[in-house]
């Protein structure tokens, strides 16, 4: 899977690349508008991360360019602006998702995973891992063919883990994934623990292997 | 409060009344004096004419006596009488009052008692002319004066009205513009040109004052917005670095715990940052208000989102939320408003506390159990966290207030029966 990271902040781009590279992703970088346009013109990517505030041009133009060339790349806008207008405009121009800075890398990885799956599998979007089957469209989870009833939040957690296999995810990242902006307003991420416990129990009861591990007491990892 | 022009017109009118009143005796005195001296002069001339004409007739007694008698009958007001030489006195002018049968009234007369010589014999001549009485003159003068005063009064009032309409027009226009001026709005103030020096000076001073305020306000706002923007990137770098750090297999439990703590603090930093940015945006009027929002739906959605937090603190939620109550505003902002108030209630409730949400057509009320009343003065100010035990971003209520201000809603706080209560009137 090839990913293009269009981001002028080198440190951040490196961090993203670093995190994604250890999965099956191959990352390329572009730190200016013209470099980004060149790469987009020449190569094909599975997903493009696009910072819309770029030196040398408006990132939105890249979206327009992609649309003009009728390219099918998934695009996730990453922006420091957190502006509703930008979000709406970006999505209208064909972006698949919008993530405002600062974000947790597991969150980004989960979104990349979701975008790529949507692009590649379209109508039949099934994630299969040993005895576990997740239908992304129907939002159902089966273990050995038997459906496990999960709450919305438990499912969201599961999907975050699936998109970040073998990665340690902090409680803070989980909290933000579940509650979005509200999470950090409560200054307390303990509520995550209850959801994790329930998810673990439901999967375990259905006969699913124990993939979900607690690491260092405060982080979690989906080990495959 | 009275208008400036009405203030200045009152002493003017009092002064005019005073002068006109004073003028009445003066007028009377002068009129009387002119009249009397004119009559006296006339009487004197009449006397001389009589003397001259009688002498030129050159009549002898008894014809003369008959003529004088006839004169006295025909010539009312001038009586001639033969007197003894010993009774001849100098001329005497006098004023007297007596009943006059022709006027059928008490009348005032000015008279001259004088002595003439006809054919070398002394005669007494009394010439009298009816003149206006004092009181009648005074009344006439006074009523004329009053008439003029009334003219002045009407003139002043009419002029005043027209003046305040015309001369003060630039002033009122400036006032109106200042009244409707909103520092937070994005428009400059433009005061009308005037050719009145004082008003032009006032406009100049006001314009300068406002412009400098507007520019410093804008600078401050831009600073907030830019600073928040610039902070997002380093925060993003720290956040991603921590996520990477956590992947290091050599990490100890203590180090992982430290990462967790940093994450928590970082969340708070980015929340403050986002909130500052949000405040700046609301102030910049970057949000439209053209959506109809079902309030009940949104409140229930928020409660759903936060249900686990209610549970973990064992809070009891009492809600009275009728469906089908809608309001026109901005979905995003309204969502923020509701979640801020609800989170506020959750955060500041003690364990096993009660949160109440009451909604009707006119208002929504959030209340939660609390110990002490909060200071309503500083409650809605930025970075004035009301409680030291549960630190928030210090911006939640400031944002709520700002959103209410944006949509012209009233927000108020009260503390009754051990419960904090926030009421928003739409």
């Amino acid at each position: 899977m090839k990913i293009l990271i269009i981001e002028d902040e080198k440190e951040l781009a490196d961090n993203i690349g670093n995190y994604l590279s250890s999965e099956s992703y191959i990352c390329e970088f572009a730190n200016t508008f013209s470099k980004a346009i060149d790469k987009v013109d020449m190569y094909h990517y599975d997903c493009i991360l696009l910072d819309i505030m770029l030196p040398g041009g408006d990132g939105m133009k890249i979206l327009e360019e992609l649309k003009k060339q009728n390219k099918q790349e998934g695009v996730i806008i990453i922006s420091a602006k957190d502006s509703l207008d930008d979000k709406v405009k970006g999505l209208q121009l064909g972006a698949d998702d919008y993530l405002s800075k600062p974000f947790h890398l597991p969150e980004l990885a989960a979104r990349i995973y979701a975008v790529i799956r949507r692009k590649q599998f379209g109508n039949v979007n099934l994630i299969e891992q040993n005895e576990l089957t997740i239908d992304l469209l129907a939002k159902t989870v089966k273990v050995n063919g038997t459906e496990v009833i999960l709450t919305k939040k438990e499912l969201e957690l599961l999907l975050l883990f699936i998109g970040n296999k073998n990665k340690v995810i902090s409680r803070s990242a989980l909290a933000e994934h579940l509650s979005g902006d509200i999470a950090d307003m409560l200054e307390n991420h303990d509520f995550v623990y209850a959801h994790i416990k329930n998810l673990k129990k439901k999967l375990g009861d259905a006969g699913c292997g124990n993939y979900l591990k607690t690491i260092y007491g405060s982080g979690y990892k989906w080990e495959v | 409060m009275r208008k400036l022009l009405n203030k200045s017109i009152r002493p003017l009118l009092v002064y005019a009344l005073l002068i006109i009143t004073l003028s009445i005796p003066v007028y009377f005195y002068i009129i009387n004096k002119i009249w009397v001296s004119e009559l006296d002069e006339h009487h004197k001339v009449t006397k001389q004419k009589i003397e001259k004409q009688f002498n030129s007739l050159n009549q002898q007694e008894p014809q003369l006596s008959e003529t004088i008698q006839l004169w006295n009958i025909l010539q009312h007001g001038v009586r001639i009488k033969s007197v003894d030489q010993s009774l001849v006195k100098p001329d005497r002018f006098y004023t007297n009052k007596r009943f006059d049968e022709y006027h059928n009234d008490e009348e005032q007369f000015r008279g001259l008692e004088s002595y003439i010589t006809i054919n070398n014999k002394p005669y007494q001549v009394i010439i009298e002319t009816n003149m206006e009485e004092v009181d009648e003159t005074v009344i006439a003068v006074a009523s004329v004066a009053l008439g003029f005063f009334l003219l002045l009064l009407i003139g002043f009032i009419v002029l005043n009205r027209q003046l305040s309409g015309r001369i003060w027009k630039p002033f009122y226009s400036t006032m109106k513009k200042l009244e409707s001026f909103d520092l937070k709005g994005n428009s400059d103030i433009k005061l009308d040109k005037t050719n009145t020096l004082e008003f032009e000076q006032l406009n100049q001073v006001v314009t300068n004052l406002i412009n400098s305020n507007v520019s410093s306000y804008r600078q401050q706002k831009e600073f907030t917005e830019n600073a928040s923007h610039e902070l997002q990137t380093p925060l993003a770098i720290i956040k991603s670095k921590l996520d990477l750090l956590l992947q290091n297999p050599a990490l100890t439990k203590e180090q992982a715990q430290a990462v967790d703590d940093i994450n928590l603090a970082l969340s708070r930093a980015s929340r403050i940052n986002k909130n500052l940015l949000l405040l700046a945006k609301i102030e910049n009027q970057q949000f439209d208000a053209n959506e109809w929002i079902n309030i009940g739906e949104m409140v229930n959605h928020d409660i759903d989102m936060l249900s686990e937090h209610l549970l973990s603190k064992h809070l009891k939620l009492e809600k009275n939320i009728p469906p089908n109550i809608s309001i026109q505003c901005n979905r995003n902002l309204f969502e923020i408003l509701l979640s801020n108030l609800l989170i506020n209630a959750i955060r500041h409730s003690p364990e096993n506390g009660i949160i109440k949400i009451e909604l009707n057509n006119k208002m929504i009320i959030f209340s939660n159990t609390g110990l002490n009343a909060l200071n309503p003065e500083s409650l809605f100010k930025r970075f004035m966290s009301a409680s030291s035990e549960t630190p928030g971003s210090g911006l939640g209520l400031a944002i709520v207030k700002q959103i209410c201000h944006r949509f012209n809603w009233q927000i108020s706080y009260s503390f009754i029966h051990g419960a904090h209560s926030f009421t928003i009137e739409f």
Side-chain angles (χ1 to χ4, degrees), chain B residues 34-50 75 77-78 93 110-112 127-130:
Chain B
I34 292 172
W35 200 344
V36 165
S37 79
E38 204 59 30
L39 281 178
D40 289 350
E41 190 73 15
H42 177 70
H43 289 165
K44 232 190 226 159
V45 172
T46 307
K47 183 203 88 177
Q48 282 163 4
K49 276 186 188 160
I50 290 170
Q75 198 65 21
V78 182
F93 295 97
R110 181 69 183 173
L112 168 65
I127 310 170
E128 278 184 342
T129 307
N130 183 3

Side-chain angles (χ1 to χ4, degrees), chain B residues 221 242 254 267 297 406:
Chain B
K221 230 169 41 179
L242 287 172
E254 284 73 28
S267 292
E297 242 172 51
R406 166 72 182 78

Side-chain angles (χ1 to χ4, degrees), chain A residues 9 11 15 80-82 101-102 104-105 153 167-168 176 181-182 184-185 187 189 191 195 216, chain B residues 232-233 237 239-241 243 247-248 251 256 263-264 267-268 271 281 305 308-309 340 343 347:
Chain A
E9 200 66 40
E11 192 73 23
N15 289 346
K81 258 184 162 174
D82 190 22
K101 290 178 188 174
H104 278 293
L105 292 178
K153 284 182 181 172
K167 289 270 198 275
V168 181
E176 272 187 37
D181 277 353
I182 293 177
D184 41 329
M185 286 163 94
E187 315 294 327
H189 296 157
F191 68 95
H195 291 295
Y216 319 123
Chain B
Q232 300 285 55
T233 306
I237 294 171
K239 216 165 187 175
S240 55
K241 264 281 184 272
D243 288 329
Q247 310 309 321
N248 188 340
L251 218 58
N263 261 325
L264 211 55
S267 292
R268 195 163 150 201
R271 156 74 19 199
K281 278 182 187 166
M305 281 275 278
E308 62 236 10
H309 301 282
N340 277 9
I343 285 170
R347 191 159 55 193

Side-chain angles (χ1 to χ4, degrees), chain A residues 147-161:
Chain A
E147 190 169 342
V148 182
I149 307 296
L150 296 182
T151 64
K152 195 167 158 260
K153 284 182 181 172
E154 286 156 7
L155 180 68
E156 278 173 11
L157 277 181
L158 180 61
L159 290 175
L160 181 70
F161 286 122

Side-chain angles (χ1 to χ4, degrees), chain B residues 253-270:
Chain B
K253 198 177 172 185
E254 284 73 28
Q255 287 164 339
Q257 186 59 51
V259 169
D260 220 36
D261 293 344
I262 297 171
N263 261 325
L264 211 55
L266 197 60
S267 292
R268 195 163 150 201
S270 56

Side-chain angles (χ1 to χ4, degrees), chain A residues 135-147:
Chain A
D135 186 334
L136 283 178
L137 289 175
K139 295 193 189 307
T140 53
V141 177
K142 284 178 184 167
V143 176
N144 294 323
T146 325
E147 190 169 342

